[in-house]
Amino acid sequence: MKKLLLLLIIMFLSFPLMANEERAVQASLDKVYRSDRIGDSYHFLLLTKKGQYFYLLTNKTDKLSPKELKSSNILDFLKEKQSWGKAFYKKGAFTLNNGKLYTKLLWNPIKILDSKKIKYLNKTFYLQ
């Protein structure tokens, strides 16, 4: 199973994703994408080379590093930045199917708009 996942990741990294027939577009892996401010909150998304994604909704900060977003102590870290507010953290795996990215658990699409812009859960994320 791990070898198959590794093979899929290598294939994902070696073939550019097709946004349309005219140009190839790839996501920036291991870099944080952030949405514009929605209400009083920001949404963060990180895609890793290992096929994992990390998603965070919070109003406690407007900037995070990849290391912070991957941390298992992210909620404690956010409490240090600001004691009040909300934070919703989710992580999982993503997969490539027919040239498109999807989360494995709920099969939510992750659409690559260009190398600096991703659409996920009806929100547009920009490379931070």
Side-chain angles (χ1 to χ4, degrees):
M1 184 68 182
K2 288 184 180 182
K3 288 182 181 183
L4 178 62
L5 179 60
L6 183 59
L7 179 62
L8 286 173
I9 291 169
I10 290 170
M11 288 175 51
F12 169 74
L13 294 175
S14 62
F15 295 106
L17 299 175
M18 297 302 290
N20 57 36
E21 293 181 16
E22 298 170 3
R23 60 188 173 116
V25 179
Q26 284 187 305
S28 295
L29 301 176
D30 290 320
K31 298 199 179 195
V32 177
Y33 287 86
R34 186 193 79 188
S35 71
D36 287 331
R37 189 176 176 131
I38 301 172
D40 65 347
S41 303
Y42 291 97
H43 298 256
F44 295 89
L45 181 65
L46 172 76
L47 303 174
T48 69
K49 292 176 183 173
K50 294 181 180 180
Q52 295 179 307
Y53 75 94
F54 298 86
Y55 173 78
L56 175 71
L57 159 66
T58 186
N59 63 354
K60 294 186 176 196
T61 187
D62 62 350
K63 188 165 183 153
L64 287 172
S65 71
K67 184 177 178 181
E68 292 168 338
L69 197 52
K70 288 182 195 177
S71 171
S72 61
N73 299 329
I74 183 71
L75 299 177
D76 293 332
F77 171 74
L78 290 171
K79 285 179 187 175
E80 291 175 14
K81 284 192 168 202
Q82 181 175 306
S83 61
W84 62 271
K86 61 184 172 186
F88 173 73
Y89 183 67
K90 184 168 91 173
K91 64 181 179 177
F94 67 88
T95 187
L96 181 65
N97 186 8
N98 294 330
K100 297 179 182 178
L101 293 177
Y102 296 93
T103 61
K104 280 191 172 182
L105 182 61
L106 298 175
W107 212 247
N108 292 322
I110 302 171
K111 186 174 181 181
I112 311 300
L113 301 175
D114 64 39
S115 62
K116 296 183 180 181
K117 199 178 348 178
I118 290 178
K119 190 159 190 157
Y120 175 63
L121 297 178
N122 294 324
K123 292 163 192 66
T124 303
F125 293 82
Y126 302 92
L127 194 58
Q128 185 173 270

